[in-house]
């Protein structure tokens, strides 16, 4: 046995052996699990056979322990060598299921040497042994099994010559051996046993030819591989679809690997002459066209078009879908529309995809600047007929029409979705989209009604996350302020919901929404409700993250005294349990610093800042962020401390938006000291490494504040040019007070 780890051997053997079925690989039918055997009955041969069938069924179900118990009883009670050998063969599968390769092989060896099995059963069992030893890398035993097979089944006295009606032909025997060896990675042995199987025409010729071709390919002999396959096509016997198609496809693969494109088309064009019928030809051509497409052979499209124009249902649908997808990737919109129109006309086209086809056609026509009125009309006919309850497709059509700014048509399709009821799939989505479309069309009353209906539906379902989403759209829409009769007071709507919401994160989202709307008082009410929910029994544990979120919102809403009192009274340990606080704890300490500073308790704020910064490694990205924020506060009252923090950031941190802010602060300081050249050089570095189109606003602000500062103290020619740069910066960003101060 090889020295490879037994665990690896077991896994590999299991992967192969789970599919094995000794004594049945030549085609025995699968038998359903019989009823449980009556243990009081006489132990006859018939009963043993029934129990063997039952054990086989148990193994297929994965019930290994019960199968083992049954087989152990059979081996003890039966005197029949044949039945005992069959029980041993089944028991080898028990051992394989448990990962015991050695015992499994022993059972098979014992059954094989009993002389009780038929030649066909003995051959199947020998193949199982071959699999085990090959997958176990036991070369010596593989050679021993092959030697036994050669003598027993391939010599002059082989059963195939004595009893050809009950044993595979020589060609099939060689093929089965070659297949087993190929599947276990013994390429040269597989080639050796496959070659005799192709000496004459027959059903095994093409199967063996595929193994030979793959073996030659693996051994670096592609020309021999192609020669073998071509011989199989010509003299392999009567044409059959499955094996002949496989041979032709292997020829196509080998030619594509060798970049002999001319041969590829030759092999594909052979199909009508060697394949038995039009369906087989179409399916082969479709697969060959896919292989060509994957290797960049331009002829693939012509072959796929041939399949698409055939009369073979099913595969022509697949061909048109392939062509349409390719045209879409290449933005050939006219072709996209044509392919989907052809698809839609096929009688076998699944009617579930009718709306999809129309959508693709509409998109393609729109992108090629063609008229879509006809498609919209067809879609409306579909919506009023067979597709009236296809709410998903109707909603998607509405979305596509909305994207095309055909709002009236979009509203019509959303209405068809809602005709199935608000509770139908996509009903609520259609309702909120319909409200927005009404807004776009200037129909404020319609939008107003749709928004209120949406909010009422969310309230009934208790889905306040979606309610807040809809509310946000409503209060920011034109219909909110322009509804006849004054509309509705959205503050009262929110107040109506607040005490019913028991989800902290939903309430937190509502606080942010109200902050953005400038509704500070109502935002504070929502925050207090969120804080209450976080302390309720329904919240299993008030986490440090939730505490930090509450404190952050309090700080942002100006409740600084409450922040200070809360932090002083509540022990806030790191959730990680380590000495260095995590980001959440650091944030809480920063909120304490900020609130103390805003309340004018500067010295205590400095102490908190020192503790915060000392707890974070200087190379940590958090240090850079907190140092800049704290330094910005220090500029007015502690300029030297501020400068020290900014210099520390530049020394320890790589270039990033925070270090750019520190650079601008230092530049302003240099300007105050008359060091204009140093200041301008620093500002230019910030402009160079900043992005005016960054995703985050404050990062964009870095760039425009640098532009503003450059215009103020730079050498721009003429007042108009200088003022133009200042005005442009102001139009793009919020100018920070320390920068704006230079313009005064």
């Amino acid at each position: 046995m090889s020295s490879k780890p037994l665990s690896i051997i077991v896994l590999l053997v299991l992967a192969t052996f789970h599919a094995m079925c000794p004594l049945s690989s030549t085609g025995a039918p699968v038998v359903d699990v019989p009823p449980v055997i009556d243990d009081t009955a006489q132990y006859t041969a018939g009963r043993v056979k029934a129990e063997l069938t039952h054990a086989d069924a148990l193994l297929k179900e994965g019930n290994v322990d019960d199968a083992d118990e049954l087989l152990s009883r059979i081996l003890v009670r039966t005197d029949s060598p044949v039945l005992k050998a069959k029980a041993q063969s089944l028991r080898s599968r028990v051992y394989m299921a448990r990962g015991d390769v050695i015992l499994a092989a022993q059972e098979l060896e014992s059954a094989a040497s009993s002389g009780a099995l038929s030649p066909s059963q003995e051959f199947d069992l020998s193949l199982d042994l071959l699999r085990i030893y090959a997958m176990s890398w036991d070369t010596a035993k593989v050679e021993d099994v092959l030697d036994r097979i050669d003598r027993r089944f391939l010599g002059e006295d082989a059963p195939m010559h004595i009893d050809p009606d009950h044993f595979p032909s020589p060609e099939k025997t060689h093929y089965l051996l070659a297949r087993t060896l190929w599947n276990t990675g013994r390429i040269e042995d597989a080639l050796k046993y496959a070659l005799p199987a192709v000496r004459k025409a027959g059903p095994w010729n093409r199967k063996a030819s595929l193994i030979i071709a793959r073996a030659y390919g693996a051994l670096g002999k592609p020309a021999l591989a192609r020669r073998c396959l071509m011989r199989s096509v010509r003299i392999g016997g009567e044409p059959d679809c499955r094996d002949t198609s496989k041979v032709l496809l292997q020829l196509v693969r080998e030619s594509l690997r060798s970049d002999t494109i001319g041969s590829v088309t030759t092999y594909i064009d052979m199909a009508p002459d060697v394949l038995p019928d039009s369906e087989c030809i179409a399916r082969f051509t479709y697969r060959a066209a896919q292989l060509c497409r994957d290797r960049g052979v331009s002829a693939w499209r012509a072959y796929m078009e041939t399949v698409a124009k055939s009369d073979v249902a099913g595969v022509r649908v697949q061909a048109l879908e392939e062509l349409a997808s390719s045209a879409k990737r290449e933005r050939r919109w006219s072709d996209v529309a044509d392919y989907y129109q052809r698809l839609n006309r096929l009688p076998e086209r699944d009617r579930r995809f009718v709306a999809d086809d129309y959508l693709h056609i509409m998109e393609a026509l729109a992108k090629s600047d063609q008229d879509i009125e006809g498609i919209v009309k067809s879609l409306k006919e579909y919506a009023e007929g067979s597709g009236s309850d296809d709410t998903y497709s109707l909603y998607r059509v509405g979305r596509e029409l909305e994207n095309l700014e055909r709002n009236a048509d979009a509203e019509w399709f959303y209405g068809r979705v809602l005709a199935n009821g608000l509770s139908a799939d996509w009903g609520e989505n259609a309702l909120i989209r319909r409200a927005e479309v009404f807004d776009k069309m200037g129909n404020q009353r319609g939008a107003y009604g749709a928004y209120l209906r949406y909010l009422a539906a969310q309230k009934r379902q208790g889905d306040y996350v979606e309610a807040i989403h809809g509310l946000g759209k409503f209060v920011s829409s034109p219909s909110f302020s322009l509804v006849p009769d004054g509309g509705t007071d959205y503050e009262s709507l929110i107040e109506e919901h607040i005490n019913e919401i028991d989800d902290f994160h939903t309430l937190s989202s509502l606080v942010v929404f109200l902050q953005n709307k400038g509704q500070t008082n109502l935002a504070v009410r929502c925050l207090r409700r969120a804080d209450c929910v976080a302390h309720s029994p329904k919240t299993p544990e008030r986490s440090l993250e939730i505490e930090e979120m509450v404190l952050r919102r309090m700080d942002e809403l100006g409740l600084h005294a409450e922040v200070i009192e809360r932090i002083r009274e509540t022990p806030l340990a790191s959730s990680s349990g380590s000495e260095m606080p995590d980001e959440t704890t650091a944030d809480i300490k920063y909120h304490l610093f900020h609130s103390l500073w805003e309340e004018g308790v500067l010295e205590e704020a400095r102490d908190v800042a020192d503790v915060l910064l000392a707890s974070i490694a200087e190379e940590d990205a958090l240090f850079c962020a907190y140092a800049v924020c704290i330094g910005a506060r220090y500029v007015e009252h502690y300029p030297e401390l501020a400068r020290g923090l900014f210099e520390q950031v530049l020394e320890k941190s790589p270039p990033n938006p925070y270090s750019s802010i520190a650079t601008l602060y230092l530049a302003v300081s240099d300007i105050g000291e008359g060091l204009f050249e140093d200041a301008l050089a620093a500002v230019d570095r910030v402009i160079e490494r900043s992005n005016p189109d960054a995703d985050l606003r404050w990062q964009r602000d870095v760039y425009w504040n640098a532009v503003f500062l450059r215009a103020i103290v730079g050498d721009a020619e003429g007042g108009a040019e200088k003022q133009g740069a200042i005005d442009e910066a102001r139009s793009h960003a919020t100018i920070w007070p320390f920068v704006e101060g230079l313009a005064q």
Side-chain angles (χ1 to χ4, degrees), residues 279-511:
E279 181 175 355
C280 184
I281 294 168
R283 295 191 181 281
F284 160 76
T285 307
Y286 172 77
R287 184 71 189 102
Q290 285 184 313
L291 293 173
C292 291
R293 178 204 60 199
D294 294 343
R295 294 299 295 266
V297 178
S298 60
W300 81 269
R301 192 173 285 107
Y303 287 118
M304 199 66 80
E305 186 65 55
T306 299
V307 178
K309 292 177 179 177
S310 73
D311 59 357
V312 181
V315 70
R316 63 182 178 181
V317 170
Q318 294 173 293
L320 281 169
E321 287 176 336
E322 291 272 4
L323 289 165
S325 296
S326 172
K328 197 168 186 178
R329 286 193 300 271
E330 297 170 5
R331 299 180 177 277
R332 294 183 286 108
W333 300 113
S334 295
D335 289 340
V336 171
D338 176 63
Y339 290 134
Y340 279 109
Q341 285 170 338
R342 289 165 60 185
L343 265 171
N344 201 257
R345 289 194 293 266
L346 292 178
E348 71 269 24
R349 180 60 165 167
D350 192 326
R351 293 298 93 186
R352 291 176 299 172
F353 300 121
V354 169
D356 279 333
D357 293 341
Y358 281 134
L359 275 169
H360 287 301
I361 295 168
M362 184 167 66
E363 178 191 25
L365 292 175
K367 290 188 175 181
S368 57
D369 295 325
Q370 298 183 53
D371 181 45
I372 65 171
E373 290 297 336
I375 294 299
V376 173
K377 181 180 178 182
S378 297
L379 278 165
K380 287 184 176 180
E381 292 172 356
Y382 170 77
E384 292 174 330
S386 61
S388 60
D389 59 351
D390 185 5
T391 53
Y392 172 62
S393 296
L394 296 177
Y395 175 77
R396 289 175 58 218
V397 172
R399 290 289 287 155
E400 183 62 30
L401 288 165
E402 193 178 344
N403 292 335
L404 295 173
E405 298 182 353
R406 294 178 65 101
N407 294 317
D409 290 326
E411 187 275 322
W412 188 91
F413 279 95
Y414 293 143
R416 296 305 301 179
V417 175
L418 292 168
N420 289 275
L422 189 58
S423 60
D425 290 341
W426 301 94
E428 293 178 5
N429 302 70
L431 181 57
I432 194 69
R433 296 308 315 163
R434 195 184 196 195
E436 293 188 42
V437 168
F438 276 138
D439 261 341
K440 294 175 184 177
M441 296 166 61
N443 184 351
Q444 284 81 31
R445 183 172 287 279
Y448 172 66
Y451 279 125
L452 289 186
R453 185 182 173 194
Y454 180 80
L455 286 171
Q458 301 307 319
K459 180 183 175 183
R460 284 195 302 272
Q461 297 173 27
D463 192 348
Y464 295 104
V465 173
E466 283 303 316
I468 290 168
H469 173 73
L471 182 63
K473 289 181 176 296
F474 174 57
V475 298
S476 61
S477 71
S479 63
F480 173 66
S481 58
L482 300 178
V483 169
D485 303 323
T488 184
D489 180 1
Y490 76 90
E491 292 184 37
S492 64
L493 287 175
I494 297 175
E495 289 174 354
E496 181 183 355
H497 284 270
I498 286 179
N499 293 327
E500 301 170 14
I501 304 175
D502 57 4
D503 178 72
F504 173 83
H505 295 288
T506 298
L507 287 160
S508 181
S509 298
L510 188 52
V511 171

